[in-house]
Amino acid sequence: MSRWKGLSESLDQRVRQLVVQLRRLKDHSGLSLVSLAARTSYSKSSWERYLNGKKLPPREAVVALARVCDADPTRLLALHEVAAQAWGAAAAPEAGRAADPADPADPPDPGGGADAAVAEEGAPRPAGGPRVRTGALVVLAALGVVVVAAVALLIVRPWQQDAAGRGTAGGAAGRTAGAVPAFTHRVGETFDCRLTRGPGGLSAGRSRTTTAILGSGATGWDVVEAQCLLHHHGYDPGPVDGIVGENTQRAVKRLQAGAGLPTDGIVGPDTWQVLRR
């Protein structure tokens, strides 16, 4: 059983509850942080920050941990949603105080974690400096909101998703433009598979990779692509949800066995070559 550091007294109870549940799940699995990093797309240092309450884990990390530990992520995701609201509420007042030059208190961002603490430790704080007018701060903040909104429109508009997970902004034209949406997954959400054959072989239009390494707990469009191709070849990976779980690994092993490949359940370059035939 791991000996965890005590969580900060200032940590919101809702965030604390999520962290405690993640710790219990990790301990129950018997995995070390190194093993956890090897089986997910998150580093050992990231897991250290997540499991010590120094940084709120992203939703995808919670799902990855649950999958690796063979647990249902539904309850964890509910806790994460509540914790995210608490984390955001705690960060807002801190950001406001840091922006006010009249307030001597300038605590580090609660989401900065160990990295922020190291960066700030030993750095001399200036005794004084030019005061920034409140009106100028308001103008700068307004400009920042406009820039963020413009960037968000550029990212979201090229490819919006309907309920089935298909790109709907411009249809084929949107895909031709090369816009790729960030992968997000809601509990129970699945994606459709529409295969075509081109110069590079079979494709479901979700990813063009032939080299991505997909192990247990991996998530993303590469996984959706692999699941669609497994379906096409007659190996059922379960729901096409973009997450490598037990069903997907079993389907990969069956495909590998039929192709004379090592049956490790991990999609790599050799397995991609078979999938795209």
Side-chain angles (χ1 to χ4, degrees):
M1 184 67 68
S2 300
R3 291 186 177 181
W4 295 101
K5 295 180 181 178
L7 296 173
S8 171
E9 293 296 332
S10 62
L11 194 64
D12 187 280
Q13 185 62 34
R14 290 163 290 182
V15 180
R16 182 185 297 270
Q17 186 176 6
L18 172 65
V19 173
V20 168
Q21 292 302 320
L22 294 178
R23 285 180 170 186
R24 288 177 178 173
L25 187 59
K26 181 263 180 191
D27 288 342
H28 183 72
S29 71
L31 293 172
S32 66
L33 291 178
V34 174
S35 299
L36 192 58
R39 299 182 65 178
T40 66
S41 57
Y42 299 89
S43 67
K44 175 178 177 289
S45 59
S46 293
W47 283 116
E48 285 176 338
R49 289 192 290 271
Y50 300 156
L51 296 174
N52 282 300
K54 295 180 179 179
K55 186 173 183 179
L56 184 71
R59 178 186 177 91
E60 291 76 11
V62 174
V63 173
L65 177 61
R67 296 291 181 182
V68 167
C69 299
D70 296 326
D72 184 356
T74 304
R75 182 170 180 270
L76 290 175
L77 289 175
L79 292 175
H80 180 272
E81 183 175 355
V82 174
Q85 295 174 355
W87 191 275
E94 299 293 347
R97 282 200 296 270
D100 185 359
D103 188 347
D106 189 16
D109 189 319
D115 294 344
V118 171
E120 292 181 36
E121 183 177 353
R125 190 178 298 277
R131 296 178 62 85
V132 181
R133 294 182 180 275
T134 304
L137 288 175
V138 172
V139 172
L140 289 174
L143 288 174
V145 171
V146 172
V147 172
V148 171
V151 172
L153 284 174
L154 289 174
I155 294 174
V156 174
R157 288 296 297 277
W159 188 325
Q160 294 176 339
Q161 289 186 317
D162 61 14
R166 295 185 294 270
T168 59
R175 296 192 185 192
T176 303
V180 179
F183 180 82
T184 57
H185 178 266
R186 303 178 185 86
V187 176
E189 181 181 22
T190 58
F191 304 91
D192 64 335
C193 297
R194 297 183 179 182
L195 271 69
T196 58
R197 185 177 292 278
L202 281 175
S203 172
R206 302 293 184 175
S207 169
R208 297 180 180 178
T209 185
T210 57
T211 58
I213 306 298
L214 307 178
S216 176
T219 63
W221 293 117
D222 292 341
V223 178
V224 175
E225 181 80 7
Q227 290 174 328
C228 286
L229 294 174
L230 284 167
H231 263 299
H232 175 79
H233 287 289
Y235 301 97
D236 183 10
V240 180
D241 55 4
I243 302 173
V244 176
E246 291 184 358
N247 291 334
T248 299
Q249 283 191 298
R250 281 195 292 267
V252 171
K253 289 179 179 179
R254 291 197 295 270
L255 174 81
Q256 291 171 331
L261 298 176
T263 55
D264 55 8
I266 299 175
V267 178
D270 291 338
T271 304
W272 279 115
Q273 187 176 1
V274 176
L275 285 171
R276 295 208 182 272
R277 288 176 183 170

